[in-house]
Amino acid sequence: MQILTTPAAMRHWRLSGSGSLGFVPTMGYLHDGHLALVQRSIAENLRTVVSIFVNPLQFAPGEDFERYPRDEVRDLALLRDAGVDAVYLPSGADMYPEGFQTYAEVGAISERLEGEHRPGHFRGVTTIVLKLLNAVGPDRAYFGRKDAQQLRVIQRMVRDLDLGVEIVPCDIVRERDGLALSSRNVYLSPEERAAATVIHRALEKARSTFELGERRAPKLRTLVQSTIAREPLANVEYVSLADDITLEELETTVERPALLSVVVRFGHTRLLDNLELR
Ligand code: AMP
């Protein structure tokens, strides 16, 4: 497994081989959710590159950039065992050299939901993803549905800027009790970890109510909100039921595919989850 630490080395490696190239961008501290993306890429491509970079540009001041969990030794061992061909591990200085002043920004779709609650977040995400795609040059790039808005924002950027890479959405991997795997789950105390199962329960309750015929968007949002609110350790930051494509909030009824997404805080830990209603 090759370890490449600069954009030039990354590009050189890509050009030194041939055949389809799959790419999985991550911020490391890998779990089975990341590894599901990696396995899919390995199955669908001749070569697979995984990047690990905790991107300072997508964290606002006061967020968890400094304390974001990191374990490079373990990550590299997992990727080697999985059969990854190369790992791209760029440095902060290479990604954002002095004088850096060029950004990729997607419009309206990145201003809602996470964009509203984390101003500047998606500008950081799209800028780093564009840089990574430029250096790696993959045929396919794999993204989790866990970060549903991120996936849609990146699909938009790829179409709008003619990036010519196929974006492959991958299903959410969950713990047995329904909690979506996330690197941030390590922040949770045992009590918070137990309480966090309420998120998936609330989403599933909305899904079954929807399947029984409920189409009123405010009702479905309230159902999720009130289910989570019954858990004392949970603080709902937002519940959104939005058009699956534009991410515009549905004011009346669900008539087209919709994205139900929530952000819930447990102490200082911010957890994100969603499901698609169709
Ligand atoms: P991150 O390291 O959190 O930036 O995530 C890297 C990629 O893994 C993103 O495309 C995420 O959507 C994806 N991912 C993270 N957690 C999960 C999960 N539980 N299931 C599926 N994909 C995931």
Side-chain angles (χ1 to χ4, degrees), residues 42-263:
I42 290 174
E44 295 178 353
N45 300 280
L46 220 55
R47 299 187 297 169
T48 288
V49 178
V50 177
S51 67
I52 300 177
F53 182 66
V54 184
N55 175 32
L57 201 61
Q58 70 190 69
F59 291 79
E63 291 187 350
D64 57 344
F65 173 68
E66 278 84 11
R67 65 182 195 110
Y68 193 84
R70 293 162 169 90
D71 190 342
E72 197 174 295
V73 173
R74 180 173 171 276
D75 286 349
L76 292 178
L78 287 170
L79 295 176
R80 194 171 289 118
D81 288 350
V84 164
D85 300 281
V87 180
Y88 182 34
L89 278 177
S91 69
D94 272 328
M95 288 297 92
Y96 301 115
E98 218 180 294
F100 184 91
Q101 51 189 290
T102 309
Y103 302 89
E105 248 181 88
V106 174
I109 192 178
S110 73
E111 284 155 19
R112 317 181 198 288
L113 307 175
E114 287 298 276
E116 214 176 307
H117 290 257
R118 300 182 71 186
H121 171 66
F122 282 121
R123 182 169 95 142
V125 170
T126 42
T127 300
I128 195 66
V129 169
L130 181 57
K131 284 170 65 74
L132 294 170
L133 291 172
N134 280 337
V136 175
D139 299 287
R140 303 189 182 89
Y142 295 78
F143 288 87
R145 291 198 159 93
K146 160 88 174 7
D147 300 284
Q149 187 178 12
Q150 170 176 287
L151 171 64
R152 286 157 179 76
V153 167
I154 287 166
Q155 285 171 321
R156 190 73 249 170
M157 173 173 77
V158 165
R159 285 188 58 184
D160 289 354
L161 298 184
D162 307 320
L163 297 185
V165 55
E166 180 189 344
I167 300 299
V168 183
C170 300
D171 287 344
I172 302 178
V173 178
R174 299 179 178 280
E175 302 279 5
R176 228 181 271 216
D177 62 12
L179 180 65
L181 298 192
S182 163
S183 306
R184 290 190 168 97
N185 290 351
V186 293
Y187 297 150
L188 299 170
S189 70
E191 296 75 24
E192 290 168 344
R193 169 65 187 81
T197 58
V198 73
I199 302 174
H200 184 241
R201 274 206 311 284
L203 291 174
E204 282 300 330
K205 203 164 166 179
R207 193 211 295 275
S208 51
T209 308
F210 175 79
E211 280 168 2
L212 288 172
E214 179 60 78
R215 292 291 181 275
R216 290 169 295 180
K219 281 269 175 207
L220 291 164
R221 271 192 295 268
T222 305
L223 178 64
V224 174
Q225 170 92 33
S226 60
T227 306
I228 300 175
R230 260 179 260 133
E231 169 48 62
L233 295 178
N235 287 299
V236 178
E237 190 171 305
Y238 66 80
V239 175
S240 159
L241 181 52
D243 180 276
D244 192 57
I245 293 169
T246 64
L247 297 187
E248 275 176 70
E249 210 56 39
L250 298 176
E251 302 301 343
T252 53
T253 54
V254 185
E255 275 148 20
R256 289 184 305 277
L259 179 72
L260 177 60
S261 54
V262 298
V263 169

